Amino acid sequence: MTSGRHIRSVMKTVNQLINDFEANVFDARLQALYLDDSRLEAEKERYIQALKMFESLYGDQEVQIFSAAGRSEVSGNHTDHQHGRVLAASINLDTIAIVSKREDDQIKVVSDDFDIEPVDVNDTELKDVEENSASLIKGVVQGFKNDHFRVGGFNAYMTSEVIVGAGLSSSASFEVLIGTILSYLYNEGNVSMVEISKIAQYAENVYFGKPCGLMDQCACAVGGLITIDFKDPASPIVHQVNTDFDDFGVSLCIVDTKGSHADLTDEYAAVPYEMKKVAHFFGSDVLRDVDEEAFLQNLSSIRKKVGDRAVLRAFHFFQENARVPQIVEALEKKDKGAFLKGIQESGDSSYQYLQNVFAASDPAHQAVSLALALSKDFLKDKGVCRVHGGGFAGTILAFVDNEDVASYKEWIESFFGADSCHVLKIRPEGGTIVVE
């Protein structure tokens, strides 16, 4: 699977591209990426402003424009770190970059209002784990070098509409964007998006110090609706699911409850830790290598050794891992009822067994639980809802019948504020070049 769509044309300067955007030259390209005619003018203005910002920083140079999607997890909640199966999608919120190639080996990035420390591609070996953007850039560059791909310098201005802290993987979108830029500038666009995903995960795990699975990066990079089997994490099996939700008459809504992810590191870390404790009972590293029947037969002994919450989280893994291919089959058969039933069962499992809808350390704050209660009260037979992403705070996902989307958005925003409900589309491209 190669890296996105490669448009071959004559390179243009910033001001030439501004004129082209103003003359509607790229309207069809933007419609293909964002799939929402109502956003076309706003997206054109966003690109124009990004080009102007690049010019103010670096001058009127010949540039290329790149994009990396945000992502939504549809099913497979907290299964990837146990080498399980997931169903995820690239969404039409993205991070874009205006980029010019440099003759030296410096990477200089300004991201919205943040001036990131320059990175020398010759000095990217790990010294210290640091939770900053420069570390992520170093990690991606080093990942390219580890895999014997070419690297080099560039100037970039980036801007993102991927909501930070909302479970849409803004950091993975950033990492994938850096990888996409290096692929096109120095490797003729031939680094596969799965390979870029692995490099991005390496950067986040090793250089940023966050023990994430591969699902976020893969969903941001590959594009469309995808199911991923991580049984062999070194060679995950990625399958694109050919489904248009318009066939089901439903829309994907992400509701940002505005809950804070601060101080939740221990809650997130406890999920894989407790699952692995169950796996270790059987001499395995991950639950994918444990036989479910053996788990049930030894339940009493496991409870005594690891506790009930770890057992419940293992229950969630076994059932969720089996559920993902069932939901994929429903999608491919265009069976709306089976699809929605699977999503609701997935959400209920996350709530009851995985227990990631609120932090046990902070029971007074349960915005995700409240959003689910309000959504179920409104939707009834008009759709389904579930916790989204890592959980504990942040967002929920709802599939809502198209004719009820406007009223659902108005209802849920009356509790969580204007623009807290985002009606999204699944875009066919993940990491890609927009204009060359």
Side-chain angles (χ1 to χ4, degrees), residues 6 8 150 182-191:
H6 197 178
R8 296 195 177 276
R150 292 185 295 275
L182 290 172
S183 175
Y184 279 101
L185 289 189
Y186 293 102
N187 297 275
E188 299 179 335
N190 289 325
V191 185

Side-chain angles (χ1 to χ4, degrees), residues 319-330:
Q319 294 185 6
E320 186 78 342
N321 197 48
R323 187 179 293 115
V324 168
Q326 295 168 2
I327 294 175
V328 170
E329 182 180 11

Side-chain angles (χ1 to χ4, degrees), residues 82-104:
Q82 299 301 301
H83 299 185
R85 304 179 181 98
V86 301
L87 177 64
S90 296
I91 57 172
N92 60 339
L93 297 177
D94 66 349
T95 308
I96 63 171
I98 316 298
V99 179
S100 67
K101 198 170 183 179
R102 290 177 64 131
E103 295 303 317
D104 60 17

Side-chain angles (χ1 to χ4, degrees), residues 131 259-269 359-362 365 391-393:
E131 294 185 10
S260 173
H261 287 81
D263 302 320
L264 290 177
T265 300
D266 289 345
E267 297 281 358
Y268 290 121
S361 58
D362 186 17
H365 295 96
F392 300 110

Side-chain angles (χ1 to χ4, degrees), residues 338-402:
F339 166 71
L340 294 178
K341 179 175 181 288
I343 296 300
Q344 193 58 70
E345 289 175 348
S346 175
D348 291 345
S349 179
S350 292
Y351 205 145
Q352 297 167 16
Y353 305 150
L354 185 62
Q355 300 180 29
N356 69 329
V357 295
F358 69 92
S361 58
D362 186 17
H365 295 96
Q366 298 194 34
V368 170
S369 305
L370 179 59
L372 291 170
L374 291 166
S375 296
K376 286 189 174 184
D377 184 60
F378 176 90
L379 290 171
K380 297 181 174 66
D381 61 350
K382 302 171 184 175
V384 297
C385 59
R386 58 156 302 140
V387 66
H388 182 250
F392 300 110
T395 59
I396 70 165
L397 172 153
F399 286 103
V400 183
D401 286 348
N402 288 338

